Amino acid sequence: MCPAANIESGEMIHPQAGVLARVDAARAAASIVDGGKSSSQAISAVLYGQGLSVRDQGMVKEMALGVVRWYWTLEDIANRMLKASMRKKDRIIFFLILVGLYQLKFMRIPPHAVVNATVSGCEVIGKPWTKALVNGMLRNYQRRSAEIDGQAATVEARTAHPRWIHDKIRAAWPEQSETILDTNNRRPPMSLRVNLHRIARDQYLECLWAANLKAAVDVCTESGIVLEKPTAVESLPGFVDGLVSVQDIAAQLIAPRLDIHPGHRVLDACAAPGGKTAHMLEIAPGVSELVALEADPGRLEQLRSNLERLGLAATCVVADGTCTDQWWDGRLFDRILIDAPCTGSGVIRRHPDIKHHRRATDLIQLCRIQSKLLDALWPLLVSGGKLMYVTCSVFPEENESQIGDFLARHSQVEVLPVSAPVGLDRTIGRQTLNGVDGLDGFFFTLLRKRESGQ
Ligand SMILES: C[S@@+](CC[C@H](N)C(=O)[O-])C[C@H]1O[C@@H](n2cnc3c(N)ncnc32)[C@H](O)[C@@H]1O
């Protein structure tokens, strides 16, 4: 018997829903690009109290994230069509124009509907005098899109990436850079991790099909399923009861490779929101203790509620992993996972705001934190124990170079091979790349502490 999904309805049909959706998308995109808000914060803020249907909320999300993803391309088109630059206080209208251009360029909506609903947004925003400008620009683009698109002159406009990210990707991965850049601008697939402790993967797959959700098993993992189309988690059978979690396939490669056995004491040093904590507990329920450490109290709360949903238990600690004197009780760990804070350059398709919020200088800062975490946590590992270092980055500074420097500072480290049916085997560790084999970009390496005399 398949468990039911949990969908609550009660939404209103708003007569101007299509127009409101465009205005909401412009407001959300502006607060991500100009206001520095995260996508999830910005989108929930605009949707709050609006009473839009699930379908219209999906439209807001699609248009807002679309503008954030393609910002440099759309901005360039708009700037080339504008006769004079727009006043700072009309910036929201500029974002409304980008929402219009995004729909014309990337969505299958009849152009007249795009123009009408987007232009009407000027009134909702309270700037009706801008209607003629918005109308003129969108109609101009509709008539001459091929010619206008062909005139994009800068790398930023052609690839929709800030220059520094573009250049780093090209330099690090010359052969795969086209795939990586292209993937970063696409909508991500939605993949699931079945809680094998509770239900077999094939059985859960049948539940999805029974709920009219088309999906297929992922052959590279024991627990992965990829949905044909993303869906709200509430519509997944048994989600609230902990049968399944949302997790990219590359992230599902990590926990099974840490070689956890019954009785082990495990440290998950950068744990929230708990995707890998839960995976470790699902595949190794016999651990003596799993300590989930997290510096951000709000994120640790998310981890707690994820574990509660899945019926799993860990010792949750809010602390800075680098300050071991403040939280460590002196007992060594058999296994340590450091899923380090990083630029997120491997998961840009899931978090397109990374392209706007990350700066080249952040990379230096993050590398410092990563090496501090490695140095502080290595002494907590038992002799013969294993430590997995992970990032969701494709920048070598955070990955092979980081571990290369660590090896130069510590003598008792052995780099173990990590095999997997996907990813590139590097001199140190394994790397998956954005879009290659359909995966997110992850780096992971397994280190063993040599016993004295070895
Ligand atoms: C890449 S995320 C971890 C994702 C998580 N392992 C999962 O699979 O769901 C990195 C986490 O490390 C936390 N963090 C950053 N610096 C930290 C530190 N010094 N000590 C402990 N946690 C830290 C961040 O707040 C963030 O939640």
Side-chain angles (χ1 to χ4, degrees):
M1 224 331 234
C2 286
N6 265 58
I7 308 176
E8 285 177 22
S9 64
E11 59 205 16
M12 295 185 300
I13 308 282
H14 197 288
Q16 271 210 307
V19 179
L20 276 184
R22 274 126 183 128
V23 172
D24 283 350
R27 289 194 168 126
S31 87
I32 296 165
V33 173
D34 289 354
K37 290 267 186 310
S38 74
S39 310
S40 52
Q41 275 175 331
I43 292 169
S44 5
V46 296
L47 292 178
Y48 183 75
Q50 289 270 35
L52 289 180
S53 68
V54 173
R55 189 179 157 277
D56 288 325
Q57 290 184 23
M59 281 276 288
V60 173
K61 198 170 166 198
E62 164 66 25
M63 292 186 290
L65 292 183
V67 168
V68 171
R69 256 184 208 113
W70 289 98
Y71 180 77
W72 289 267
T73 307
L74 301 172
E75 178 199 39
D76 176 65
I77 294 172
N79 282 341
R80 280 186 284 118
M81 285 194 300
L82 273 170
K83 298 212 168 58
S85 59
M86 289 183 78
R87 295 178 309 172
K88 232 180 170 175
K89 58 184 184 177
D90 289 334
R91 184 85 175 139
I92 188 63
I93 297 296
F94 185 73
F95 275 94
L96 187 66
I97 293 167
L98 301 191
V99 168
L101 292 173
Y102 176 74
Q103 295 165 78
L104 291 173
K105 194 166 161 58
F106 296 107
M107 290 177 79
R108 271 179 269 154
I109 305 176
H112 68 273
V114 170
V115 177
N116 288 346
T118 309
V119 170
S120 301
C122 300
E123 293 201 19
V124 174
I125 289 170
K127 294 179 184 276
W129 60 90
T130 57
K131 280 170 81 173
L133 171 76
V134 176
N135 186 47
M137 283 179 68
L138 295 184
R139 287 193 191 286
N140 187 7
Y141 183 71
Q142 190 194 337
R143 277 195 311 274
R144 302 170 44 231
S145 58
E147 178 197 339
I148 294 172
D149 286 349
Q151 290 163 348
T154 63
V155 163
E156 289 89 336
R158 282 200 303 268
T159 64
H161 278 72
R163 188 71 198 228
W164 78 273
I165 294 186
H166 168 274
D167 289 354
K168 286 201 77 62
I169 290 172
R170 286 248 191 257
W173 304 103
E175 278 172 37
Q176 300 90 348
S177 58
E178 285 302 329
T179 305
I180 297 174
L181 293 167
D182 177 60
T183 300
N184 290 350
N185 292 334
R186 289 180 183 274
R187 299 175 195 95
M190 182 170 176
S191 35
L192 308 176
R193 185 190 74 241
V194 178
N195 185 351
L196 300 178
H197 205 45
R198 303 274 306 277
I199 188 167
R201 176 164 71 169
D202 285 347
Q203 203 185 340
Y204 189 75
L205 189 67
E206 282 174 24
C207 295
L208 287 172
W209 281 83
N212 272 329
L213 294 167
K214 290 195 185 140
V217 297
D218 166 70
V219 290
C220 301
T221 54
E222 304 235 313
S223 50
I225 286 185
V226 183
L227 291 171
E228 194 177 284
K229 274 197 219 146
T231 186
V233 288
E234 294 79 15
S235 60
L236 296 171
F239 179 80
V240 284
D241 306 317
L243 294 195
V244 73
S245 299
V246 177
Q247 191 176 43
D248 183 68
I249 297 298
Q252 294 184 43
L253 297 172
I254 312 297
R257 285 169 177 74
L258 188 48
D259 187 30
I260 306 173
H261 293 281
H264 273 169
R265 186 164 194 251
V266 182
L267 171 66
D268 187 354
C270 298
K276 296 179 196 74
T277 320
H279 195 189
M280 287 192 278
L281 290 167
E282 285 167 11
I283 59 173
V287 294
S288 69
E289 185 184 21
L290 191 152
V291 177
L293 185 79
E294 168 58 46
D296 180 330
R299 284 174 66 85
L300 191 73
E301 274 318 302
Q302 278 181 328
L303 176 142
R304 277 205 179 93
S305 80
N306 281 334
L307 292 187
E308 195 181 328
R309 178 180 65 80
L310 293 162
L312 300 168
T315 307
C316 297
V317 180
V318 183
D320 181 337
T322 63
C323 305
T324 50
D325 54 329
Q326 291 173 13
W327 60 270
W328 186 44
D329 62 5
R331 290 186 295 148
L332 295 169
F333 293 96
D334 302 287
R335 297 289 182 266
I336 296 181
L337 173 64
I338 305 181
D339 190 6
C342 68
T343 54
S345 58
V347 291
I348 289 177
R349 63 179 178 175
R350 295 193 189 280
H351 305 284
D353 47 357
I354 288 172
K355 291 200 273 190
H356 297 269
H357 298 158
R358 283 275 177 243
R359 300 279 173 267
T361 47
D362 294 343
L363 178 59
I364 302 163
Q365 188 63 23
L366 285 160
C367 284
R368 253 185 231 134
I369 299 171
Q370 291 154 5
S371 65
K372 274 176 84 178
L373 279 164
L374 280 160
D375 287 348
L377 299 173
W378 184 249
L380 278 53
L381 187 65
V382 71
S383 241
K386 293 177 185 172
L387 180 150
M388 177 85 86
Y389 172 82
V390 183
T391 70
C392 52
S393 172
V394 293
F395 296 159
E397 295 89 330
E398 305 184 85
N399 300 337
E400 288 127 288
S401 310
Q402 180 66 264
I403 298 301
D405 292 348
F406 178 73
L407 294 177
R409 293 194 301 272
H410 298 264
S411 56
Q412 292 294 89
V413 193
E414 181 187 357
V415 181
L416 298 176
V418 258
S419 62
V422 279
L424 301 170
D425 197 7
R426 308 292 294 168
T427 333
I428 299 173
R430 184 166 280 276
Q431 179 82 57
T432 61
L433 293 172
N434 321 19
V436 177
D437 294 316
L439 303 180
D440 282 350
F442 267 82
F443 171 82
F444 46 104
T445 188
L446 189 59
L447 309 175
R448 180 173 165 275
K449 189 182 263 188
R450 283 204 194 98
E451 286 159 76
S452 37
Q454 272 193 308

